[in-house]
């Protein structure tokens, strides 16, 4: 059940490798399991609000606007695959502080960014688990999506799970609309932070 009132987000100063400032925010108490939330194409950190509401009492959640989205500029080279993975690496480094590892949760483009970044041994060493949701939005059922598209997403989810490095626990959420809810995403994150 969502919290009645969530404390305001705390800003996190992050600069990517090329100097692009990334809008990032912290939710939840320090000293709790850390989770980095990476949104999908055409979204922003606000996409994660329903999930943050469910987890902020007992998780440190780090949501950021992906390059060229929300309050993060596109930067000098724009949102290339390399820039997006460097951005995730910068956010992970900035949020860890004295922590060892964090769970990485991604939607669509965010899921692909995580899979690219976790191939870097440094990122992999600081990743406690991965939650991949190869879907357009976690906050609501996928209205208007036909069964053929849902099955394609399910196959994509299975393929994403197959390419994740074996050393990193990975949970892939996909399938019919009823499985892709904020509660399901929050439950998946809780499973990875235990």
């Amino acid at each position: 059940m969502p919290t009645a009132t969530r404390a305001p987000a705390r800003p996190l100063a992050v600069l990517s490798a090329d100097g692009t400032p990334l809008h990032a925010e912290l939710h939840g108490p320090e000293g709790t399991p850390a989770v980095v939330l990476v949104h999908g194409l055409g979204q922003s950190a606000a996409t994660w609000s329903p999930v943050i509401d469910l987890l902020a009492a007992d998780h440190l959640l780090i949501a950021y606007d992906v390059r060229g989205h929300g309050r993060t500029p596109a930067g000098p080279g724009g949102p290339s695959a390399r820039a997006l993975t460097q951005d995730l690496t910068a956010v992970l480094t900035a949020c860890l502080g004295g922590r060892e590892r964090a769970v990485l949760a991604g939607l669509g483009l965010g899921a692909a960014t995580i899979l690219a970044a976790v191939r870097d041994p440094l990122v992999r060493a600081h990743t406690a688990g991965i939650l991949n949701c190869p879907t357009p939005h976690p906050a609501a059922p996928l209205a208007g999506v036909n069964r053929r598209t849902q099955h394609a997403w399910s196959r994509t989810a299975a393929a994403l799970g197959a390419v994740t490095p074996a050393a990193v626990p990975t949970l892939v959420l996909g399938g019919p609309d009823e499985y892709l809810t904020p509660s399901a995403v929050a439950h998946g994150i809780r499973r990875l932070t235990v």
Side-chain angles (χ1 to χ4, degrees):
M1 171 175 282
T3 57
T5 57
R6 179 179 1 133
R10 301 179 310 279
L12 176 67
V14 181
L15 281 180
S16 192
D18 67 0
T20 300
L22 306 174
H23 171 80
E25 51 193 43
L26 301 169
H27 301 269
E30 297 287 338
T32 57
V35 181
V36 177
L37 305 168
V38 190
H39 66 78
L41 185 63
Q43 300 171 344
S44 71
T47 300
W48 290 101
S49 289
V51 174
I52 291 168
D53 287 342
L54 293 168
L55 295 174
D58 55 5
H59 288 77
L60 177 62
L61 302 151
I62 302 93
Y64 72 100
D65 288 336
V66 171
R67 181 181 291 255
H69 293 71
R71 291 171 274 183
T72 295
S80 68
R82 181 177 179 185
L84 293 173
T85 59
Q86 288 176 339
D87 294 350
L88 174 57
T89 302
V91 170
L92 186 62
T93 302
C95 77
L96 285 180
R99 294 174 187 275
E100 289 290 320
R101 299 164 17 121
V103 167
L104 308 179
L107 307 171
L109 175 65
T113 300
I114 289 168
L115 290 177
V118 81
R119 294 189 181 285
D120 177 328
L122 175 66
V123 173
R124 190 168 48 251
H126 293 290
T127 302
I130 298 169
L131 177 72
N132 273 330
C133 304
T135 65
H137 199 287
L142 306 175
V145 176
N146 65 37
R147 288 285 170 201
R148 184 177 181 156
T149 302
Q150 289 177 356
H151 291 299
W153 281 337
S154 295
R155 287 190 305 276
T156 301
L160 286 172
V163 300
T164 303
V168 180
T170 303
L171 180 60
V172 179
L173 294 181
D177 296 351
E178 60 268 20
Y179 298 133
L180 303 173
T181 64
S183 294
V185 173
H187 178 72
I189 290 171
R190 285 187 191 286
R191 286 182 57 195
L192 290 166
T193 58
V194 172

